[in-house]
Each structure stands twice: as structure tokens, then as C-alpha cells.
Amino acid sequence: MIYEVTLAEKVYRVELTQAGDRWKCMLDGRELPVDVTYGQNGVLSLLLDGKSYEVKQEIVGTETNVVVGHERFAASVRDPRSFRSRSRAGAGEQGVMKIKAPMPV
């Protein structure tokens, strides 16, 4: 799965691959060794480079934040393959278009 993740107005390309019960993470093209444990109430415990982080999602109105420890970051995740993501990607795009062609007889 490939995602475009925006944190504090900076865009990252995140590729996640599951191998059994473990995950492989590529961040902007480089491998990032990470160990993830799911906790209660959607809280994740991440072990990254020997340091432990508690990460949770916070939704307030229409805004989504990621809270790491005591720091809060504005966040959004976009799956480039999804129609909803593509339709929000650019103002010049037209979204769904119908193809009108006569059926051959």
C-alpha cells in the first residue's frame, strides 16, 4: 500500500508491506525499520531506531491530528489509487466523466 501522508504541511511517500505479523515501511524511498504494537483506544506504540513513541489520532471537527507524545501535528493521508483522493488532488481535474459512444450493431 502506498500513501501520501501530509504532516505539518510536509508531504511524505509512505509504502507499507505486510509480511506475516510484521510490517515493512519505506519512507520517501528508504527503508525505515519500525515495530508497531496496537494498544487500547487506537493508540499505537512504535519502536523506531531504539526509541519508543506513543502515537494516536485525534479528530476535531474536520481536522485530523496525529499526537506523538505531547506534540500535535496536522495530518492527512491520501491513497493515490482511490477515486476520492484523486478527485481532491487538483483543481484542474474534472472527476468522473461519462464516455458517450454508440453501441455497434
Side-chain angles (χ1 to χ4, degrees):
M1 298 176 284
I2 298 174
Y3 299 99
E4 289 178 5
V5 178
T6 305
L7 285 174
E9 298 184 16
K10 183 165 177 167
V11 179
Y12 301 91
R13 184 177 189 268
V14 178
E15 183 175 350
L16 299 171
T17 308
Q18 188 171 12
D21 62 342
R22 301 198 50 100
W23 288 88
K24 177 181 172 186
C25 177
M26 299 289 287
L27 178 65
D28 290 335
R30 63 182 176 93
E31 188 170 351
L32 185 66
V34 63
D35 189 20
V36 179
T37 303
Y38 297 96
Q40 296 177 346
N41 299 324
V43 176
L44 298 176
S45 176
L46 299 179
L47 186 60
L48 180 62
D49 290 332
K51 293 183 181 179
S52 180
Y53 300 92
E54 182 178 282
V55 180
K56 60 185 170 182
Q57 179 184 23
E58 175 185 84
I59 299 173
V60 179
T62 60
E63 293 183 14
T64 299
N65 296 307
V66 172
V67 181
V68 181
H70 298 291
E71 293 190 57
R72 180 173 282 105
F73 303 93
S76 68
V77 176
R78 188 173 86 83
D79 180 350
R81 299 170 301 163
S82 78
F83 173 73
R84 181 177 285 159
S85 292
R86 284 194 309 262
S87 66
R88 286 185 267 158
E93 296 180 16
Q94 295 184 15
V96 174
M97 297 179 69
K98 292 183 180 180
I99 298 175
K100 297 179 183 179
M103 293 296 291
V105 191

